[in-house]
């Protein structure tokens, strides 16, 4: 049977960066792997970020519309993609869902025929920012709880940037979220992988790959009627790097834009070279990338498109 891993994590937690390192480990062990991307929106930015992994031992696939309101249609697409991937001779498949994901979709789909005869769950991993924001909406805390409840291994990202106290606060926050979701699972700091990712060894990845998953239960909640999470796409902005960063910072700081968790996408610099933009409220990253698409995606709760567009207008009129 083909092992299948689920790598979850809230918006901006670092799932894609972790997958790069985890996939590199698996490839070096001689595995043929497939990575199934389910980005939050119709344009799959994270799949573009993984393009350097593509080769003889790694293929990338995607399921579109992670934010699709028709959950049944999305589940059918997910199952259809797994059926086709099951015929490709992979040793292991890594599934990266959107940062807002119904965990039941993964477990329920794998129990359906013929997938129940082809796949076995390897590890369910939850990536959590070591400096998790203290104040999050009930919707966001529910997502955190649902991901942590089933994870066989919780991996902290960016621990080199966080103090011991901040890391403890993150675990306390997760435990509080689990309590609110009526989940009996409790976490302690020693239960979490807290190494700087640059220092993770093959032995560390071996343990992560064998982590399995938890059978913890929690009370399922549906926040769809409240507006909830959404993503907005902005194409061909034509802004230079300085103006773009200023606009994005304004989007994060202006509460009228909504609660913005992450802004990501690509743009071209003055030398006509592609760059990747990845920002949260606390972090800013601009990196060169081989190929891109001129798109910026704003992800958050209760977003006001008109207000966000206004942040780009001054540069566009120049």
């Amino acid at each position: 049977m083909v092992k299948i891993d689920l790598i979850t994590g809230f918006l901006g937690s670092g799932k894609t960066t972790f997958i790069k390192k985890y996939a590199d480990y698996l490839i070096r062990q001689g595995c043929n792997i497939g990575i199934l991307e389910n980005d939050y929106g119709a344009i799959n930015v994270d799949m573009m970020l993984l393009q350097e992994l593509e080769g003889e031992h790694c293929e990338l696939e995607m399921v579109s519309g992670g934010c699709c309101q028709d959950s049944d249609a999305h589940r059918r697409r997910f199952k259809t993609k797994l059926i086709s991937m099951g015929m490709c001779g992979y040793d292991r498949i890594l599934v990266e869902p959107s940062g807002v994901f119904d965990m039941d979709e993964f477990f329920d789909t794998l129990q359906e025929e013929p997938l129940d005869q082809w796949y076995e769950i390897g590890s369910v991993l939850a990536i959590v920012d070591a400096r998790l924001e203290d104040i999050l909406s009930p919707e966001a805390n529910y997502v955190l709880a649902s991901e942590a409840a089933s994870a066989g291994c919780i991996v902290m990202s960016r621990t080199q940037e966080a103090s011991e106290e901040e890391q403890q606060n993150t675990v306390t926050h997760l435990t509080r979220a689990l309590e609110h979701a009526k989940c009996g699972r409790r976490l302690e700091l020693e239960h979490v992988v807290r190494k700087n990712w640059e220092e993770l060894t093959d032995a560390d990845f071996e343990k992560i790959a064998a982590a399995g998953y938890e059978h913890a239960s929690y009370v399922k909640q549906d926040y769809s009627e409240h507006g909830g999470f959404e993503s907005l796409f902005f194409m061909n902005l034509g802004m230079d790097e300085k103006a773009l960063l200023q606009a994005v910072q304004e989007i994060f700081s202006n509460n009228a834009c909504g609660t913005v968790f992450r802004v990501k996408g690509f743009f071209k610099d003055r030398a006509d070279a592609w760059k990747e933009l990845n920002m949260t409220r606390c972090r800013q990253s601009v990196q060169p990338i081989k190929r891109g698409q001129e798109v910026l995606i704003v992800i958050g709760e209760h977003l006001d498109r008109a207000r966000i567009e206004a942040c780009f207008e001054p540069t566009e009129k120049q």
Side-chain angles (χ1 to χ4, degrees):
M1 299 180 76
V2 181
K3 286 195 174 182
I4 182 167
D5 297 333
L6 180 68
I7 295 92
T8 70
F10 195 60
L11 299 164
S13 61
K15 297 188 302 297
T16 305
T17 300
F18 178 82
I19 285 177
K20 285 183 181 181
K21 296 181 179 298
Y22 184 40
D24 177 70
Y25 160 76
L26 293 172
I27 292 169
R28 287 189 287 103
Q29 303 310 303
C31 293
N32 291 315
I33 65 172
I35 300 177
L36 179 54
E37 280 288 325
N38 177 199
D39 208 353
Y40 196 74
I43 300 174
N44 203 312
V45 169
D46 289 342
M47 188 168 177
M48 295 182 187
L49 300 178
L50 294 170
Q51 59 191 327
E52 63 191 55
L53 290 171
E54 280 192 294
E56 182 181 355
H57 299 289
C58 178
E59 295 181 357
L60 305 180
E61 298 286 348
M62 70 172 286
V63 177
S64 62
C67 60
C68 178
Q69 292 183 351
D70 188 344
S71 58
D72 290 336
H74 182 265
R75 184 172 296 191
R76 287 195 298 271
R77 290 197 294 270
F78 182 49
K79 179 179 179 179
T80 299
K81 181 61 69 173
L82 287 180
I83 289 174
S84 65
M85 294 181 76
M87 303 176 184
C88 294
Y90 298 120
D91 299 304
R92 201 160 189 134
I93 290 176
L94 314 183
V95 177
E96 180 185 7
S98 69
V100 180
F101 178 69
D102 182 352
M103 295 293 289
D104 287 345
E105 178 176 311
F106 177 75
F107 292 105
D108 291 349
T109 301
L110 289 175
Q111 291 177 2
E112 297 177 9
E113 295 182 347
L115 301 182
D116 60 341
Q117 302 298 315
W118 296 357
Y119 290 101
E120 62 175 329
I121 298 174
S123 291
V124 174
L125 312 175
I127 311 301
V128 181
D129 194 316
R131 297 170 68 185
L132 183 65
E133 290 190 44
D134 187 51
I135 300 176
L136 292 174
S137 70
E139 294 94 328
N141 278 314
Y142 169 73
V143 171
L144 285 170
S146 66
E147 294 173 347
S150 301
C153 181
I154 295 174
V155 183
M156 272 192 183
S157 60
R158 310 178 183 100
T159 54
Q160 68 275 16
E161 302 173 10
S163 67
E164 189 81 6
E165 181 181 4
E166 288 173 320
Q167 294 177 38
Q168 179 60 66
N169 289 340
T170 292
V171 172
T172 301
H173 186 149
L174 281 175
T175 297
R176 188 167 61 246
L178 288 166
E179 290 173 348
H180 288 167
K182 303 297 190 293
C183 178
R185 186 175 187 185
R186 297 295 177 262
L187 301 173
E188 300 292 342
L189 202 57
E190 60 266 24
H191 300 158
V192 179
V193 175
R194 297 191 292 139
K195 265 191 173 182
N196 181 339
W197 288 358
E198 299 301 322
E199 299 173 358
L200 288 172
T201 65
D202 285 358
D204 293 322
F205 281 117
E206 183 179 4
K207 291 179 181 178
I208 290 170
Y213 62 99
E214 293 288 329
H215 293 278
S217 62
Y218 55 92
V219 176
K220 192 173 179 64
Q221 301 180 38
D222 182 8
Y223 289 102
S224 58
E225 64 183 43
H226 304 296
F229 301 97
E230 57 186 318
S231 57
L232 301 178
F233 295 78
F234 300 89
M235 309 289 292
N236 304 314
L237 290 172
M239 304 172 72
D240 64 31
E241 182 173 335
K242 181 178 179 181
L244 185 60
L245 291 177
Q246 288 176 341
V248 173
Q249 288 165 353
E250 170 65 17
I251 289 168
F252 275 111
S253 62
N254 187 348
N255 292 332
C257 292
T259 303
V260 179
F261 290 113
R262 188 181 183 190
V263 178
K264 60 182 180 178
F266 307 98
F267 65 94
K268 282 189 174 181
D269 62 18
R270 292 181 178 178
D272 206 35
W274 284 109
K275 286 190 174 180
E276 166 214 342
L277 171 69
N278 195 340
M279 291 180 64
T280 63
R281 192 177 299 273
C282 301
R283 293 179 181 84
Q284 171 181 305
S285 173
V286 177
Q287 300 290 337
I289 192 167
K290 290 181 180 179
R291 299 189 305 274
Q293 180 178 355
E294 197 161 332
V295 59
L296 199 69
I297 305 176
V298 180
I299 306 173
E301 292 177 287
H302 313 292
L303 301 178
D304 188 319
R305 186 178 189 93
R307 295 279 189 176
I308 293 172
E309 284 180 335
C311 295
F312 298 121
E313 286 177 359
T315 299
E316 292 177 333
K317 291 178 180 178
Q318 290 177 358

